Amino acid sequence: MYPRTIRIVMNRSLSIDKYMAAIVEALEPRMGGVDLDKLKEFKDMNPPGDLIEGSEMTMTIRGDTMLYRNCAGSVGAIHSQVFCKALCDTYYGKDPVSPSHKEDVIKGIKKLP
């Protein structure tokens, strides 16, 4: 299985609470009530404080594991098939949070040899 990497770069300052609330709002309904403790685990991977313009976070999903590098450079992992599937659906499913990101990924895949 090939990894999927989602890189988020903030184009404006935002509180970490608002950033996480948006992600949880997108993930929770896709998780069907299963492994919801992983949402708190994910929240806890972020340092306190605000995200500033240019802050960068990376999520790499392979199978049932998501590696997360937060804006401070710390890396953590979440192991949950349900969480990873919900995260992929959020970005690559029928109703993605960023249709332009999904389109760019599809265009990139088509260019692969």
Side-chain angles (χ1 to χ4, degrees):
M1 171 171 280
Y2 294 100
R4 294 169 196 95
T5 299
I6 301 162
R7 180 175 161 251
I8 298 172
V9 180
M10 302 304 296
N11 64 1
R12 64 182 174 96
S13 296
L14 186 70
S15 75
I16 196 72
D17 292 334
K18 285 185 181 180
Y19 164 76
M20 286 308 307
I23 292 175
V24 167
E25 181 180 318
L27 291 177
E28 189 170 5
R30 290 172 165 94
M31 293 175 70
V34 179
D35 281 351
L36 295 179
D37 59 310
K38 300 301 181 183
L39 297 173
K40 181 174 181 340
E41 193 176 322
F42 184 44
K43 285 181 188 179
D44 291 344
M45 291 178 159
N46 289 287
D50 292 340
L51 298 168
I52 59 170
E53 184 177 344
S55 293
E56 188 175 321
M57 290 71 61
T58 306
M59 297 171 256
T60 302
I61 302 116
R62 185 186 295 259
D64 68 348
T65 301
M66 183 213 45
L67 296 177
Y68 180 68
R69 186 175 54 80
N70 68 25
C71 62
S74 297
V75 176
I78 292 181
H79 303 283
S80 165
Q81 186 71 36
V82 172
F83 180 90
C84 291
K85 184 175 179 182
L87 189 59
C88 288
D89 187 62
T90 297
Y91 287 93
Y92 306 116
K94 290 181 182 179
D95 186 24
V97 294
S98 176
S100 62
H101 169 76
K102 180 180 175 179
E103 290 170 15
D104 288 345
V105 169
I106 291 169
K107 286 177 190 174
I109 290 171
K110 288 179 179 179
K111 291 179 183 177
L112 291 174

